[in-house]
Amino acid sequence: MKDKLESILSNAMTQIEASVELDKLNDIRVAFLGKKGELTSVLKSMKDVAPEERPKVGQLVNEARNRIETKLEEKKAVFERKIREEKMKAEVIDVTLPGRKMEIGHRHPNTITLEEVEKIFIGMGYEVVEGPEVEYDYYNFEALNIPENHPAKDEQDTFYVNDKIVLRTQTSSVQVHVMEEGKLPIRMISPGRVFRSDDVDATHSPSFHQIEGLVIDKNVTFADLKGTLEQFAKQLFGEKTKVKFRPHHFPFTEPSAEMDVTCFKCGGKGCRFCKGEGWIEILGCGMVHPHVFEMSGINPEEYTGFAFGVGLERIALLKYEIDDMRLLYENDKRFLSQF
């Protein structure tokens, strides 16, 4: 039994000394000290040893176990020290190297444009108001004089959550909420994200941004509308900008119009950018329909007002001469870094 223990001990020491990696030590520990290890097998065979020899054999087994465990720990410490030294070499920092320049982000062209538009209207005394993107059908359509059978309510144009709730197709719904509060007069713009069931291409997206404006007061006329929007266009595109209004139809305004501005690329002479026309359409507008006032609890005999709506992306595309709306959403740093 003594010779067997010495052989096991010698074999264990040789294997520990010859091991070249930490994982190998774990295999050696299991092979000699595990539940099915060689020393454990010796202990299990103690029943075959004479009773008077068992204490001596048990002592020899414990001594062998202790020597193996001590050797394993010593070898483990060597490996760990070597691993730590290699890690320290790999992670060394050269304090003489110049610092890494942090790349700082900047505002998106949509954000730059929105802030400029807000600054213009705040300077005119307007308030910026926001509202929910998930809206009741009533506020998105009915309260804006768009009846139940109107083509604009077709599911091909609108994302419906259920029969009564939609993803808003315009931020005009925010104006209805403000009108229902009954705090007059009103001068506000409501920028925000809107949703329409459109295919993605160079000029369309199912998700984009609009800026709606509303003014309600006594004795407001179409002349006030024209003067306000002309001033807006001059501040946004330059003092030489001219505007013209074309008759149009919107359910929530009467009369309604679309506003064009002179091409700021060619000054109205005609070029590729304005398709040779000299004019570029930028927004829709009109006097608030009396029925819209009535549904929101405002007396149309006492108050009048005008509303307008412009696409934020459209202004950004025109202002920065971008020919594809998709560039605004693809997060290409080569494109965004130009702003």
Side-chain angles (χ1 to χ4, degrees):
M1 182 66 72
K2 182 178 180 182
D3 292 341
K4 185 176 182 180
L5 286 171
E6 289 179 353
S7 175
I8 293 172
L9 180 60
S10 177
N11 190 19
M13 293 298 182
T14 300
Q15 290 188 35
I16 293 172
E17 193 64 38
S19 61
V20 293
E21 56 184 15
L22 194 59
D23 291 342
K24 184 64 176 176
L25 290 181
N26 294 328
D27 296 337
I28 296 171
R29 184 185 297 276
V30 173
F32 289 95
L33 306 180
K35 291 182 179 180
K36 297 181 180 180
E38 294 187 35
L39 275 181
T40 307
S41 299
V42 172
L43 287 174
K44 290 180 180 178
S45 64
M46 289 283 284
K47 61 181 183 296
D48 300 328
V49 179
E52 64 274 9
E53 294 292 329
R54 288 177 185 173
K56 187 176 181 180
V57 173
Q59 183 180 358
L60 291 173
V61 171
N62 288 334
E63 288 177 357
R65 176 183 291 276
N66 290 337
R67 289 183 63 183
I68 292 173
E69 287 182 342
T70 300
K71 188 66 175 177
L72 284 169
E73 291 300 320
E74 290 175 354
K75 193 68 174 179
K76 181 181 177 182
V78 172
F79 283 137
E80 289 179 342
R81 185 166 58 253
K82 185 178 180 181
I83 291 171
R84 186 167 59 251
E85 288 174 354
E86 291 177 352
K87 188 176 181 180
M88 292 292 287
K89 289 179 181 179
E91 295 181 354
V92 66
I93 299 175
D94 185 353
V95 295
T96 64
L97 289 174
R100 294 178 181 176
K101 185 178 180 180
M102 298 296 292
E103 187 174 356
I104 301 175
H106 53 80
R107 294 173 300 166
H108 190 276
N110 270 358
T111 304
I112 298 172
T113 305
L114 176 60
E115 289 178 354
E116 188 171 352
V117 171
E118 288 181 346
K119 182 178 179 181
I120 292 171
F121 281 105
I122 289 173
M124 295 182 185
Y126 284 62
E127 179 185 4
V128 179
V129 183
E130 296 182 352
E133 294 180 358
V134 181
E135 186 60 275
Y136 284 105
D137 179 278
Y138 172 78
Y139 289 100
N140 195 75
F141 292 119
E142 293 180 32
L144 293 170
N145 203 30
I146 301 176
E148 187 173 352
N149 59 351
H150 195 281
K153 298 187 68 173
D154 194 301
E155 290 187 9
Q156 293 180 359
D157 298 322
T158 307
F159 291 108
Y160 282 85
V161 178
N162 57 40
D163 292 341
K164 294 184 179 180
I165 299 177
V166 301
L167 299 183
R168 68 181 180 188
T169 60
Q170 53 198 358
T171 56
S172 300
S173 57
V174 181
Q175 301 172 4
V176 180
H177 288 287
V178 175
M179 285 191 290
E180 285 186 344
E181 293 177 2
K183 297 178 181 178
L184 300 172
I186 296 172
R187 285 178 178 82
M188 60 165 282
I189 59 170
S190 53
R193 187 183 296 273
V194 297
F195 308 87
R196 294 183 187 177
S197 185
D198 284 331
D199 293 328
V200 177
D201 59 30
T203 57
H204 295 85
S205 172
S207 176
F208 56 100
H209 298 79
Q210 274 195 344
I211 305 170
E212 300 279 346
L214 176 69
V215 171
I216 298 176
D217 205 344
K218 295 179 179 179
N219 303 317
V220 175
T221 68
F222 202 92
D224 297 312
L225 166 62
K226 292 176 67 176
T228 298
L229 295 182
E230 181 179 12
Q231 184 64 25
F232 162 66
K234 287 181 179 295
Q235 290 193 41
L236 188 65
F237 297 118
E239 282 297 324
K240 293 183 179 180
T241 303
K242 297 179 181 180
V243 301
K244 73 174 181 179
F245 294 82
R246 294 177 288 104
H248 198 70
H249 169 72
F250 298 109
F252 37 86
T253 54
E254 180 59 38
S256 304
E258 285 188 336
M259 187 182 87
D260 300 338
V261 297
T262 49
C263 178
F264 35 84
K265 188 74 172 176
C266 64
K269 297 177 182 179
C271 65
R272 179 190 63 83
F273 198 68
C274 61
K275 298 179 181 179
E277 296 180 1
W279 295 89
I280 300 174
E281 176 202 334
I282 66 165
L283 59 81
C285 59
M287 300 301 292
V288 180
H289 198 290
H291 188 46
V292 173
F293 278 146
E294 291 171 353
M295 286 188 287
S296 297
I298 297 175
N299 185 359
E301 299 294 330
E302 185 178 0
Y303 288 94
T304 55
F306 63 80
F308 56 89
V310 57
L312 177 63
E313 283 81 0
R314 182 166 183 79
I315 295 179
L317 293 178
L318 294 173
K319 191 171 180 62
Y320 297 112
E321 300 182 23
I322 303 169
D323 58 6
D324 195 326
M325 182 176 176
R326 289 168 292 192
L327 291 169
L328 296 172
Y329 300 111
E330 291 176 347
N331 294 327
D332 189 328
K333 291 175 68 176
R334 295 171 300 177
F335 169 77
L336 295 176
S337 62
Q338 299 176 58
F339 300 91

